[in-house]
Amino acid sequence: MKIIVTGGAGFIGGNFVHLMVNKYPEDQIICLDALTYAGNMETLEPVMNKPNFKFVKGDIADRELVFHLFKEEKPDVIVNFAAESHVDRSITDPGIFLKTNILGTGVLLDACKEFGIQRYHQVSTDEVYGDLPLDRPDLFFTEETPLHTSSPYSASKASADLLVLAYHRTFQIPVTISRCSNNYGPYHFPEKLIPLIIANALNDKPLPVYGKGENVRDWLYVEDHCLAIDLIIRKGKVGEVYNIGGHNEKTNLEVVKTVIHELGKSEDLIEYVTDRPGHDMRYAIDPAKIHRELGWLPETKFEDGIKKTIQWYLDHKHWWESIISGEYQNYYEKQYGNR
Ligand code: NAD
Ligand code: DAU
């Protein structure tokens, strides 16, 4: 099987590429990535010399490039991770989110229509369902929950999901969609909560907590997400949506305190800052369908996953220190300077 993985130089895509290249030496894995600020060739270093791996630099919204790649490579499967993925950046600069997340997805679907494909898989997010209230712990997102988005990021991801389903119905493209909760683990870009807190705590810098820190996220170790996608592309039913999540809800404050205690730092580092506009209160996935139909269950408990993640950041200082020493400084000042 020949699989094009878009966005494979990013966090989840990178973990997925590592998994696929090592688990299926008989498959060919091609990573298509534009190497935006979030893409990092160092993430792909462990697989660069593997005979079943190839890297192509390019933008999924570049129709000519994508069509040329499909014509040359004749892929069997596309797994689309490529996206602008940070909610805060979508609030300050939404345009690129519409281009990459919606138009880019449209170009990939057009290429599937033109050249044929065995499976197009869209990596989506639980954020397309909006949020749940804190006082209703009995409520969960199912695949039937209506789309109801809050940020330009989640609106762009929901738009892409609708395009994917439309291409299935109208042009019979064999698609699947997965909607996953918050991931954490190795290679997570330090603009996102967990790696940002780890990096700042290690540098004894303030730990910015939005609002009161009471918003709830449903954390899943990245490898469990990758294993679920692997199952869906091989055994999932065409035209279906699968929710992925680990029933592991934590307030942001709980997460931040866990990292502080694991690192032996002081809670005095916590700094409450102005809340994110439109901040979703609670995400909580009901993963019953993927468990029932494909037998998927998360393997890594948060208590173990967070320890492994922190250890990874301690062992790979070069990876994140080179990120936070560059353009990231300007981003950080703009985002947190006057907050
Ligand atoms: P990321 O920001 O770490 O990585 C995105 C990757 O896509 C980068 O390598 C970047 O260079 C690449 N990219 C961006 N624009 C591109 C373009 N136009 N053409 C080609 N490549 C491009 O993102 P992530 O956190 O790994 O998320 C991957 C996917 O998973 C996204 O679609 C996101 O919506 C979804 N998702 C993320 C989470 C999460 O917790 N991080 C949870 C659920 C779903
Ligand atoms: O739920 C899946 C989504 O999870 C993915 O679709 C997104 O791509 C991914 O970025 C993530 O979105 P969140 O907005 O939930 O993740 P983030 O790490 O940005 O924030 C997690 C929570 O922590 C959120 O409630 C905001 C809060 N936060 C975040 C940062 C960066 C803080 O309190 N302080 C911070 O500095």
Short mmCIF file of all heavy atoms in Angstrom, two decimals, residues 85-88 125-127 153 180-182 191-194 196 208-210 215 217 219 252 276 279-280 283 336, ligand 2:
data_model
loop_
_atom_site.label_atom_id
_atom_site.label_comp_id
_atom_site.label_asym_id
_atom_site.label_seq_id
_atom_site.Cartn_x
_atom_site.Cartn_y
_atom_site.Cartn_z
N SER A 85 -3.36 24.52 13.19
CA SER A 85 -3.99 23.76 14.27
C SER A 85 -4.16 24.54 15.58
O SER A 85 -4.72 24.00 16.54
CB SER A 85 -3.16 22.50 14.55
OG SER A 85 -1.92 22.87 15.11
N HIS A 86 -3.67 25.79 15.66
CA HIS A 86 -3.70 26.46 16.97
C HIS A 86 -4.83 27.49 17.06
O HIS A 86 -4.85 28.48 16.33
CB HIS A 86 -2.35 27.11 17.25
CG HIS A 86 -2.19 27.56 18.66
ND1 HIS A 86 -2.77 26.91 19.74
CD2 HIS A 86 -1.51 28.61 19.21
CE1 HIS A 86 -2.45 27.54 20.86
NE2 HIS A 86 -1.70 28.57 20.56
N VAL A 87 -5.74 27.24 18.00
CA VAL A 87 -6.93 28.08 18.17
C VAL A 87 -6.55 29.55 18.36
O VAL A 87 -7.13 30.45 17.74
CB VAL A 87 -7.76 27.58 19.38
CG1 VAL A 87 -8.91 28.52 19.68
CG2 VAL A 87 -8.28 26.16 19.13
N ASP A 88 -5.56 29.84 19.21
CA ASP A 88 -5.19 31.23 19.48
C ASP A 88 -4.73 31.94 18.21
O ASP A 88 -5.05 33.11 17.98
CB ASP A 88 -4.07 31.29 20.54
CG ASP A 88 -4.57 30.87 21.91
OD1 ASP A 88 -5.75 31.12 22.22
OD2 ASP A 88 -3.78 30.28 22.67
N THR A 125 -11.41 16.98 14.43
CA THR A 125 -11.26 17.30 15.85
C THR A 125 -12.60 17.34 16.57
O THR A 125 -13.63 17.64 15.95
CB THR A 125 -10.56 18.67 16.00
OG1 THR A 125 -10.67 19.13 17.34
CG2 THR A 125 -11.19 19.74 15.11
N ASP A 126 -12.57 17.10 17.87
CA ASP A 126 -13.81 17.21 18.67
C ASP A 126 -14.32 18.65 18.73
O ASP A 126 -15.47 18.90 19.09
CB ASP A 126 -13.61 16.65 20.08
CG ASP A 126 -12.52 17.34 20.90
OD1 ASP A 126 -11.88 18.28 20.38
OD2 ASP A 126 -12.31 16.95 22.06
N GLU A 127 -13.44 19.61 18.37
CA GLU A 127 -13.85 21.02 18.45
C GLU A 127 -14.97 21.35 17.47
O GLU A 127 -15.62 22.39 17.62
CB GLU A 127 -12.66 21.95 18.22
CG GLU A 127 -11.60 21.80 19.28
CD GLU A 127 -10.69 23.00 19.42
OE1 GLU A 127 -11.02 24.08 18.93
OE2 GLU A 127 -9.63 22.83 20.04
N TYR A 153 -10.65 28.47 13.86
CA TYR A 153 -10.05 27.14 13.67
C TYR A 153 -11.11 26.06 13.57
O TYR A 153 -11.15 25.28 12.61
CB TYR A 153 -9.07 26.82 14.81
CG TYR A 153 -8.72 25.34 14.91
CD1 TYR A 153 -7.93 24.74 13.93
CD2 TYR A 153 -9.21 24.55 15.96
CE1 TYR A 153 -7.63 23.38 14.00
CE2 TYR A 153 -8.91 23.20 16.03
CZ TYR A 153 -8.12 22.61 15.05
OH TYR A 153 -7.83 21.27 15.10
N CYS A 180 -10.97 13.65 17.04
CA CYS A 180 -10.26 13.27 18.26
C CYS A 180 -10.21 14.42 19.26
O CYS A 180 -10.32 15.58 18.91
CB CYS A 180 -8.84 12.85 17.90
SG CYS A 180 -7.95 12.10 19.27
N SER A 181 -10.05 14.05 20.52
CA SER A 181 -9.90 15.02 21.59
C SER A 181 -8.44 15.49 21.67
O SER A 181 -7.62 15.11 20.83
CB SER A 181 -10.33 14.37 22.90
OG SER A 181 -9.54 13.23 23.14
N ASN A 182 -8.11 16.27 22.69
CA ASN A 182 -6.76 16.84 22.82
C ASN A 182 -5.70 15.76 22.95
O ASN A 182 -5.78 14.92 23.84
CB ASN A 182 -6.68 17.72 24.07
CG ASN A 182 -7.39 19.04 23.88
OD1 ASN A 182 -8.60 19.07 23.66
ND2 ASN A 182 -6.66 20.13 23.97
N GLU A 191 3.64 25.79 21.59
CA GLU A 191 2.62 26.84 21.71
C GLU A 191 1.38 26.28 22.40
O GLU A 191 0.52 27.02 22.86
CB GLU A 191 2.21 27.35 20.31
CG GLU A 191 1.50 26.29 19.50
CD GLU A 191 1.25 26.62 18.05
OE1 GLU A 191 1.37 27.78 17.66
OE2 GLU A 191 0.94 25.68 17.29
N LYS A 192 1.26 24.93 22.47
CA LYS A 192 0.07 24.28 23.03
C LYS A 192 0.28 24.07 24.53
O LYS A 192 1.42 24.03 25.01
CB LYS A 192 -0.17 22.94 22.33
CG LYS A 192 -0.21 23.03 20.80
CD LYS A 192 -1.50 23.61 20.28
CE LYS A 192 -1.49 23.96 18.81
NZ LYS A 192 -1.09 22.96 17.87
N LEU A 193 -0.82 23.91 25.27
CA LEU A 193 -0.74 23.97 26.73
C LEU A 193 0.36 23.10 27.35
O LEU A 193 1.24 23.61 28.06
CB LEU A 193 -2.10 23.61 27.36
CG LEU A 193 -2.08 23.67 28.89
CD1 LEU A 193 -1.97 25.10 29.40
CD2 LEU A 193 -3.32 23.00 29.48
N ILE A 194 0.31 21.78 27.12
CA ILE A 194 1.21 20.89 27.89
C ILE A 194 2.69 21.16 27.58
O ILE A 194 3.48 21.40 28.51
CB ILE A 194 0.80 19.40 27.73
CG1 ILE A 194 -0.52 19.19 28.50
CG2 ILE A 194 1.91 18.47 28.22
CD1 ILE A 194 -1.04 17.76 28.53
N LEU A 196 4.03 23.82 26.37
CA LEU A 196 4.37 25.20 26.79
C LEU A 196 4.64 25.23 28.30
O LEU A 196 5.62 25.84 28.76
CB LEU A 196 3.23 26.15 26.41
CG LEU A 196 3.45 27.65 26.67
CD1 LEU A 196 2.77 28.48 25.58
CD2 LEU A 196 2.94 28.09 28.02
N PRO A 208 1.27 30.57 32.04
CA PRO A 208 0.03 31.31 31.79
C PRO A 208 -1.18 30.39 31.76
O PRO A 208 -1.24 29.44 30.97
CB PRO A 208 0.27 31.93 30.40
CG PRO A 208 1.30 31.06 29.75
CD PRO A 208 2.12 30.44 30.83
N VAL A 209 -2.14 30.67 32.64
CA VAL A 209 -3.40 29.90 32.67
C VAL A 209 -4.53 30.85 32.29
O VAL A 209 -4.70 31.89 32.93
CB VAL A 209 -3.62 29.30 34.08
CG1 VAL A 209 -5.01 28.68 34.19
CG2 VAL A 209 -2.56 28.24 34.37
N TYR A 210 -5.26 30.49 31.23
CA TYR A 210 -6.32 31.38 30.76
C TYR A 210 -7.51 31.36 31.73
O TYR A 210 -7.94 30.27 32.16
CB TYR A 210 -6.83 30.94 29.38
CG TYR A 210 -5.82 30.94 28.26
CD1 TYR A 210 -6.13 30.35 27.03
CD2 TYR A 210 -4.56 31.54 28.39
CE1 TYR A 210 -5.22 30.35 25.98
CE2 TYR A 210 -3.64 31.53 27.34
CZ TYR A 210 -3.98 30.94 26.14
OH TYR A 210 -3.09 30.93 25.11
N ASN A 215 -11.51 25.31 32.54
CA ASN A 215 -11.95 24.64 31.30
C ASN A 215 -11.44 23.21 31.28
O ASN A 215 -10.34 22.92 31.76
CB ASN A 215 -11.41 25.39 30.09
CG ASN A 215 -11.77 26.86 30.11
OD1 ASN A 215 -11.36 27.57 31.03
ND2 ASN A 215 -12.57 27.30 29.18
N ARG A 217 -10.51 19.63 29.26
CA ARG A 217 -10.12 18.97 28.02
C ARG A 217 -10.00 17.47 28.30
O ARG A 217 -9.73 17.06 29.43
CB ARG A 217 -8.78 19.52 27.48
CG ARG A 217 -8.84 21.02 27.09
CD ARG A 217 -9.75 21.24 25.91
NE ARG A 217 -9.82 22.61 25.40
CZ ARG A 217 -10.75 23.49 25.75
NH1 ARG A 217 -11.66 23.17 26.65
NH2 ARG A 217 -10.79 24.69 25.21
N TRP A 219 -7.88 14.46 27.53
CA TRP A 219 -6.53 14.24 27.00
C TRP A 219 -6.28 12.80 26.57
O TRP A 219 -6.60 11.86 27.30
CB TRP A 219 -5.50 14.66 28.05
CG TRP A 219 -5.52 16.14 28.30
CD1 TRP A 219 -6.18 16.78 29.31
CD2 TRP A 219 -4.91 17.16 27.50
NE1 TRP A 219 -6.00 18.15 29.20
CE2 TRP A 219 -5.23 18.41 28.10
CE3 TRP A 219 -4.13 17.16 26.34
CZ2 TRP A 219 -4.79 19.63 27.58
CZ3 TRP A 219 -3.69 18.38 25.83
CH2 TRP A 219 -4.02 19.59 26.45
N ASN A 252 -7.77 22.53 33.12
CA ASN A 252 -6.43 23.00 32.75
C ASN A 252 -5.55 23.14 33.99
O ASN A 252 -4.36 22.83 33.95
CB ASN A 252 -6.54 24.33 32.01
CG ASN A 252 -7.20 24.16 30.66
OD1 ASN A 252 -7.22 23.06 30.10
ND2 ASN A 252 -7.75 25.24 30.13
N ARG A 276 -9.10 33.33 26.77
CA ARG A 276 -9.20 33.24 25.30
C ARG A 276 -10.61 33.67 24.89
O ARG A 276 -11.58 33.16 25.48
CB ARG A 276 -8.93 31.77 24.92
CG ARG A 276 -9.18 31.44 23.47
CD ARG A 276 -9.04 29.94 23.22
NE ARG A 276 -7.65 29.51 23.14
CZ ARG A 276 -7.27 28.23 23.05
NH1 ARG A 276 -8.16 27.26 23.04
NH2 ARG A 276 -6.00 27.92 22.96
N HIS A 279 -13.74 31.09 24.50
CA HIS A 279 -13.10 29.88 25.04
C HIS A 279 -14.09 28.74 25.31
O HIS A 279 -14.98 28.88 26.17
CB HIS A 279 -12.40 30.27 26.34
CG HIS A 279 -11.35 29.32 26.78
ND1 HIS A 279 -10.53 29.57 27.85
CD2 HIS A 279 -10.98 28.10 26.32
CE1 HIS A 279 -9.70 28.56 28.02
NE2 HIS A 279 -9.96 27.65 27.11
N ASP A 280 -13.92 27.61 24.64
CA ASP A 280 -14.79 26.44 24.87
C ASP A 280 -14.59 25.93 26.30
O ASP A 280 -13.46 25.77 26.76
CB ASP A 280 -14.42 25.31 23.89
CG ASP A 280 -15.02 25.56 22.50
OD1 ASP A 280 -16.03 26.28 22.39
OD2 ASP A 280 -14.46 25.02 21.52
N TYR A 283 -14.69 19.79 26.60
CA TYR A 283 -14.78 18.79 25.53
C TYR A 283 -14.81 17.42 26.19
O TYR A 283 -14.05 17.17 27.14
CB TYR A 283 -13.55 18.80 24.61
CG TYR A 283 -13.23 20.10 23.92
CD1 TYR A 283 -11.90 20.47 23.70
CD2 TYR A 283 -14.23 20.94 23.44
CE1 TYR A 283 -11.57 21.65 23.05
CE2 TYR A 283 -13.90 22.13 22.79
CZ TYR A 283 -12.57 22.47 22.60
OH TYR A 283 -12.25 23.63 21.95
N TYR A 336 1.33 36.78 24.73
CA TYR A 336 1.30 36.81 26.20
C TYR A 336 1.83 38.11 26.79
O TYR A 336 1.66 38.35 27.98
CB TYR A 336 2.13 35.64 26.77
CG TYR A 336 1.57 34.28 26.40
CD1 TYR A 336 2.05 33.59 25.30
CD2 TYR A 336 0.54 33.71 27.15
CE1 TYR A 336 1.52 32.35 24.94
CE2 TYR A 336 0.02 32.47 26.81
CZ TYR A 336 0.52 31.80 25.70
OH TYR A 336 0.00 30.57 25.36
O1 DAU B 2 -9.63 19.20 21.13
C1 DAU B 2 -8.78 19.03 20.06
C2 DAU B 2 -8.00 20.31 19.83
O2 DAU B 2 -7.08 20.43 20.90
C3 DAU B 2 -7.29 20.32 18.49
O3 DAU B 2 -8.23 20.32 17.45
C4 DAU B 2 -6.39 21.56 18.36
O4 DAU B 2 -5.64 21.49 17.15
C5 DAU B 2 -5.44 21.57 19.54
O5 DAU B 2 -4.62 22.73 19.49
C6 DAU B 2 -6.21 21.53 20.85
O6 DAU B 2 -6.96 22.75 21.05
P1 DAU B 2 -7.06 23.47 22.49
O7 DAU B 2 -7.40 24.89 22.28
O8 DAU B 2 -7.87 22.67 23.43
O9 DAU B 2 -5.50 23.28 22.93
P2 DAU B 2 -4.45 24.29 23.63
O10 DAU B 2 -3.27 23.46 23.99
O11 DAU B 2 -4.24 25.54 22.84
O12 DAU B 2 -5.22 24.68 24.97
C7 DAU B 2 -5.66 23.70 25.89
C8 DAU B 2 -6.40 24.42 27.01
O13 DAU B 2 -5.46 25.18 27.77
C9 DAU B 2 -7.43 25.43 26.51
O14 DAU B 2 -8.53 25.42 27.40
C10 DAU B 2 -6.70 26.76 26.58
C11 DAU B 2 -5.76 26.58 27.75
N1 DAU B 2 -4.46 27.30 27.68
C12 DAU B 2 -3.72 27.17 26.56
C13 DAU B 2 -2.50 27.79 26.44
C14 DAU B 2 -1.66 27.66 25.18
C15 DAU B 2 -4.01 28.03 28.77
O15 DAU B 2 -4.68 28.12 29.82
N2 DAU B 2 -2.78 28.64 28.66
C16 DAU B 2 -2.02 28.57 27.55
O16 DAU B 2 -0.92 29.20 27.51
#
